[in-house]
Amino acid sequence: MRVISGTYKSHPLRTISGKNTRPTTDKVKEAIFQVIGPYFEGGIGLDLFAGSGGLGIEAISRGADKVLFIDSHPKAIQTIHENINNLKIKDQTEVYKNDAFRALKAASKRGLVFDWIFLDPPYKRISFEKLFKVIFNLGVVRKGSILICEHSTDDILPDNFKRLEMVKTEEYGSTISVSLFEVK
């Protein structure tokens, strides 16, 4: 795995070994950033279920000011820290070992509002509708914020949810879909 574009283009990223994580492939990462960017002039992101942190690091490489990385697994947190330290971007990041819902609540208490939220939960284990509801109820997005959802092709996500409107959905192979929503 590597950074695709921007300041840290071609820098390798460590991944987590094992079958419990699925690093986002270069092809999927590039497709996501072509829709939401491809480059940014600042902004703050949240990489929920961050794994190795590849999506959030890509956002920083493409101009995001800051990204918060959240994962509940110690190996993921260790890998994210290693990738951040290797790229020397610690001042643009915050990393927390936490449950996604508790992390959203903590971000809300701090008054954080995100331009992008990357959602790549374990397939079939977390409801996107529940995530969307909590995100809106806690007020961590604003008009124009983008939610990027990586999910199983078997998952059916709503076309619209409250003020969320599906911008694009695309299948990558037989198992991975990416759906992008914008807050209207």
Side-chain angles (χ1 to χ4, degrees):
M1 195 164 90
R2 64 187 176 96
V3 179
I4 303 298
S5 189
T7 305
Y8 304 102
K9 181 180 180 175
S10 299
H11 279 73
L13 297 173
R14 290 186 46 110
T15 60
I16 304 164
S17 59
K19 296 179 182 178
N20 293 331
T21 59
R22 308 164 270 90
T24 303
T25 65
D26 290 354
K27 176 182 176 181
V28 173
K29 207 183 316 181
E30 184 60 37
I32 288 169
F33 283 92
Q34 285 304 316
V35 174
I36 68 169
Y39 298 97
F40 311 115
E41 293 181 15
I44 182 171
L46 173 63
D47 194 347
L48 216 51
F49 313 98
S52 60
L55 289 171
I57 290 170
E58 188 74 32
I60 290 170
S61 183
R62 292 171 183 251
D65 289 325
K66 184 174 201 142
V67 174
L68 277 69
F69 297 86
I70 311 297
D71 207 290
S72 61
H73 296 288
K75 284 185 180 179
I77 296 301
Q78 178 184 353
T79 303
I80 294 165
H81 279 296
E82 288 174 13
N83 285 328
I84 287 168
N85 290 335
N86 288 341
L87 294 172
K88 297 176 178 56
I89 56 172
K90 190 171 180 149
D91 60 330
Q92 293 178 270
T93 65
E94 293 181 28
V95 182
Y96 299 101
K97 181 184 173 298
N98 205 345
D99 165 84
F101 295 101
R102 280 192 232 129
L104 287 166
K105 190 173 183 180
S108 174
K109 284 182 179 179
R110 291 176 56 194
L112 296 175
V113 177
F114 300 101
D115 297 293
W116 317 276
I117 299 180
F118 300 97
L119 300 168
D120 187 9
Y123 288 177
K124 304 285 186 192
R125 295 185 45 210
I126 304 270
S127 161
F128 278 96
E129 285 194 43
K130 184 176 178 183
L131 279 168
F132 293 168
K133 183 178 179 181
V134 169
I135 287 167
F136 271 100
N137 287 345
L138 293 173
V140 295
V141 290
R142 66 174 148 258
K143 183 177 181 178
S145 294
I146 304 286
L147 276 60
I148 303 95
C149 307
E150 192 170 330
H151 56 94
S152 166
T153 54
D154 297 339
D155 287 338
I156 308 284
L157 275 64
D159 290 340
N160 298 297
F161 183 90
K162 293 193 179 192
R163 296 182 354 254
L164 269 184
E165 183 179 300
M166 186 180 288
V167 175
K168 183 176 183 171
T169 189
E170 193 77 37
E171 288 186 12
Y172 297 92
S174 60
T175 58
I176 298 174
S177 289
V178 175
S179 298
L180 294 110
F181 294 85
E182 183 174 357
V183 178
K184 297 295 181 178

